[in-house]
Amino acid sequence: MDGLNVSIAFFFLVVGACQVLRWLSKRFLSPGTQGCLAREFAGSFQLCTSSLELRMLMDIGPWSGGFGLDVVLTLLFLLSAVHGASLDGASANPTVSLQEFLLLESSLAATGAKLLAQAVGAGAGWAVTRLCWSWELTQLHFIQNLLAPECSSSIRASLPLAALVEGSCSFLFHLVLLKVRQSHPLGRVPALAATVTFLTYTAGPSTGAFFNPALATATTFHCSGSSFWNYIQVYWLGPLAGMLAALLLFQGNIPRLFQKNLLYGQRSKYKVPKAKVTVQEEGDKPQRKRKAGKSNSEPRA
């Protein structure tokens, strides 16, 4: 269990370093674009390093570390909760940034800058994690350092099925995100962490269940077994299609592209009140009374 303890210490160190970076960005950078880019970089760095270390535990731990999948899934849930609570408004996910752009919450220039910061953060996280593995602090790191140059593709299904799996994961994740994005963090963070854990457990054997293009690019694009275009289809186009489908289903439209609601009919705000009908019916009675009065006032023979 020494290897597991070292990995847990690694998680704490990464989260602590990223929190210091966020604090420095708030103190010395403007709260606008610069601070946003620093948060996106820190979030992607934190997410990538933690995910790489956790996937190493998931792959090697059951047969070399003496712990099972239940321990790794518990760590995944806890780390996802920590990420959700500490990202400080950053998404660390290109599909989430594109969703904000389509919801008219971010401009094109800001979205492009966020995607660049996420790519740089994920690449830096991959480099730092590989450096830590090269130190071979534990037996797990020693084995991972031997296996890393010969890594194989995470796509373990046919290409259409793999793209469908990643798209479905992204679809469910974004549906939950759209539902809870305005909720209190005490409810939002556990809900998203549970969703990530469930999707990783169910879809992990097929594609790795990344549903995050930046994370997938840093983690598996350099591995042999699949072409670059295959990776793009599964880990970029699949999650993007899932995000669009979730947004369309939740909103009924995509605000950046068109305003008309395509799925849900809107009821008219103006209704004819029932009181008007009653007044008209009651208004008929005097006329009838008048007619009756006229008939009674006629002279009898």
Side-chain angles (χ1 to χ4, degrees):
M1 297 295 286
D2 293 338
L4 181 61
N5 294 332
V6 172
S7 294
I8 293 176
F10 176 77
F11 295 143
F12 277 108
L13 181 62
V14 168
V15 174
C18 291
Q19 283 296 98
V20 171
L21 180 59
R22 294 185 186 97
W23 179 80
L24 291 175
S25 67
K26 284 184 177 180
R27 186 174 179 84
F28 296 105
L29 298 179
S30 63
T33 304
Q34 294 179 347
C36 177
L37 296 183
R39 291 194 298 271
E40 289 292 345
F41 173 84
S44 295
F45 179 87
Q46 175 179 315
L47 182 63
C48 184
T49 51
S50 300
S51 297
L52 286 170
E53 184 73 10
L54 190 62
R55 288 184 181 277
M56 182 270 296
L57 295 177
M58 187 177 297
D59 294 337
I60 303 176
W63 57 271
S64 179
F67 51 88
L69 185 61
D70 55 340
V71 175
V72 179
L73 291 177
T74 302
L75 283 175
L76 174 60
F77 176 81
L78 295 176
L79 282 174
S80 299
V82 171
H83 291 324
S86 64
L87 287 181
D88 193 22
S91 63
N93 188 333
T95 58
V96 177
S97 298
L98 291 174
Q99 175 184 280
E100 294 172 353
F101 170 73
L102 294 175
L103 287 171
L104 305 177
E105 297 175 355
S106 178
S107 65
L108 180 61
T111 302
K114 288 180 182 179
L115 297 180
L116 180 60
Q118 291 165 4
V120 175
W126 175 82
V128 169
T129 307
R130 288 291 300 272
L131 177 63
C132 293
W133 288 345
S134 67
W135 295 340
E136 299 179 357
L137 299 177
T138 67
Q139 184 180 3
L140 296 176
H141 289 165
F142 171 74
I143 297 173
Q144 179 62 33
N145 193 41
L146 292 177
L147 298 176
E150 304 297 332
C151 66
S152 58
S153 172
S154 298
I155 302 176
R156 304 182 185 91
S158 63
L159 189 62
L161 179 60
L164 179 62
V165 169
E166 284 292 312
S168 300
C169 290
S170 178
F171 174 78
L172 293 175
F173 173 76
H174 280 276
L175 269 185
V176 176
L177 178 62
L178 289 167
K179 182 66 176 178
V180 304
R181 63 199 301 260
Q182 302 297 336
S183 304
H184 193 275
L186 290 178
R188 182 180 69 251
V189 171
L192 291 175
T195 302
V196 171
T197 304
F198 170 75
L199 294 176
T200 303
Y201 173 73
T202 55
S206 299
T207 61
F210 294 101
F211 50 93
N212 183 330
L215 179 61
T217 302
T219 302
T220 192
F221 268 45
H222 62 282
C223 295
S224 60
S226 297
S227 65
F228 180 77
W229 174 240
N230 290 346
Y231 284 132
I232 291 294
Q233 286 180 286
V234 174
Y235 296 116
W236 276 89
L237 298 183
L240 181 60
M243 180 272 291
L244 291 174
L247 182 58
L248 186 61
L249 179 64
F250 187 83
Q251 290 279 124
N253 68 335
I254 299 178
R256 178 69 66 174
L257 302 180
F258 41 80
Q259 296 294 330
K260 183 179 180 181
N261 197 311
L262 301 179
L263 298 181
Y264 310 115
Q266 297 180 351
R267 297 181 178 178
S268 176
K269 297 180 180 180
Y270 305 100
K271 295 182 179 180
V272 179
K274 296 181 179 180
K276 290 185 178 180
V277 179
T278 305
V279 170
Q280 292 177 358
E281 291 177 355
E282 293 176 355
D284 292 336
K285 294 180 179 179
Q287 295 179 0
R288 294 174 183 173
K289 289 181 179 180
R290 292 193 201 101
K291 291 181 180 180
K294 289 181 180 180
S295 61
N296 293 334
S297 61
E298 293 180 355
R300 297 181 180 178

